[in-house]
Amino acid sequence: AQSVSQHNHHVILSEAASLELGCNYSYGGTVNLFWYVQYPGQHLQLLLKYFSGDPLVKGIKGFEAEFIKSKFSFNLRKPSVQWSDTAEYFCAADQSGGYQKVTFGTGTKLQVIP
Amino acid sequence: DAGVTQSPTHLIKTRGQQVTLRCSPKSGHDTVSWYQQALGQGPQFIFQYYEEEERQRGNFPDRFSGHQFPNYSSELNVNALLLGDSALYLCASSGTPTEAFFGQGTRLTVV
């Protein structure tokens, strides 16, 4: 069965540190990939998405992710985190050509210490 | 412009009862998906509705059913509630295949 794995369940960083959150998926064919963020008390918001083209995807708030097909990975990065980035981050994948049947990872809780 | 709205925000039900959750999609969106998010887990896809038909379904039993109305709003029904059905239920709407917007969710507690 298709699956999405997030390796880090809880990450604690100091402000200005660099961030990389790992994500691996288990699909063999064409896949669409997403990163969502859920700030405390708020709904899920799309950070960025990859459908095709340039494997380096830039999203909102300075986040970016790189799709590496050979490694089945879609890691999220940010060069310098801020306290306001404290949230839970979800990687997700869809193999059906769009928002048809999205599979989410278990999430990574990021805590940024001022 | 209202985003995705879900009602109620919280509810408590007794095991064996039935529950109906509601979702109004973002204006202009015709596709509604439902997800279940258990504590400490990522959202799990339940099903998706488009043009009043169930288009895709995840690995959920038939106790979970849904409906989409002509105005694109949607309901999620769960029969014979189990304690394990306690979760946050999320609705997402989309107007194109490339983007979806999530509501705040309905927190269901089964006692």
Side-chain angles (χ1 to χ4, degrees):
Chain A
Q2 56 198 26
S3 66
V4 175
S5 301
Q6 292 183 243
H7 317 300
N8 314 102
H9 297 294
H10 197 178
V11 173
I12 302 174
L13 294 173
S14 298
E15 276 193 316
S18 63
L19 169 72
E20 181 159 4
L21 301 182
C23 172
N24 287 92
Y25 61 93
S26 66
Y27 307 102
T30 302
V31 64
N32 303 313
L33 298 159
F34 313 90
W35 275 98
Y36 281 88
V37 61
Q38 189 167 31
Y39 297 103
Q42 296 189 25
H43 58 277
L44 279 167
Q45 300 174 41
L46 183 67
L47 267 181
L48 48 79
K49 61 190 176 189
Y50 172 79
F51 273 55
S52 63
D54 189 344
L56 185 60
V57 180
K58 295 193 183 300
I60 60 172
K61 305 187 180 188
F63 286 90
E64 65 177 29
E66 185 175 13
F67 169 57
I68 303 179
K69 189 174 182 179
S70 61
K71 295 184 178 180
F72 297 90
S73 70
F74 190 57
N75 292 353
L76 181 71
R77 300 194 292 248
K78 186 171 184 179
S80 176
V81 295
Q82 302 172 320
W83 176 79
S84 58
D85 293 324
T86 294
E88 188 158 18
Y89 293 80
F90 293 93
C91 182
D94 169 31
Q95 200 178 16
S96 57
Y99 278 74
Q100 304 291 342
K101 190 174 180 179
V102 180
T103 300
F104 282 81
T106 53
T108 297
K109 289 185 179 176
L110 171 66
Q111 184 180 356
V112 180
I113 301 170
Chain B
D1 179 23
V4 180
T5 57
Q6 292 186 242
S7 62
T9 53
H10 296 84
L11 77 165
I12 300 173
K13 288 287 188 178
T14 302
R15 190 172 46 183
Q17 283 188 316
Q18 178 264 344
V19 68
T20 297
L21 311 182
R22 295 175 176 82
C23 172
S24 292
K26 187 175 170 64
S27 177
H29 286 185
D30 57 7
T31 303
V32 173
S33 302
W34 286 93
Y35 292 83
Q36 180 195 66
Q37 187 176 14
L39 203 60
Q41 301 294 318
Q44 281 196 288
F45 178 83
I46 303 175
F47 43 53
Q48 183 183 79
Y49 277 84
Y50 172 71
E51 292 189 344
E52 302 179 52
E53 297 281 336
E54 183 181 290
R55 181 158 66 176
Q56 284 275 359
R57 190 178 181 93
N59 296 325
F60 279 81
D62 292 344
R63 299 187 297 110
F64 289 77
S65 63
H67 188 78
Q68 185 178 36
F69 299 93
N71 66 354
Y72 306 127
S73 67
S74 177
E75 289 181 348
L76 164 65
N77 299 294
V78 187
N79 295 322
L81 284 167
L82 304 173
L83 297 180
D85 295 331
S86 295
L88 180 68
Y89 288 84
L90 297 169
C91 169
S93 76
S94 55
T96 71
T98 64
E99 191 162 7
F101 291 82
F102 282 81
Q104 293 267 30
T106 294
R107 174 74 62 189
L108 171 65
T109 302
V110 182
V111 297

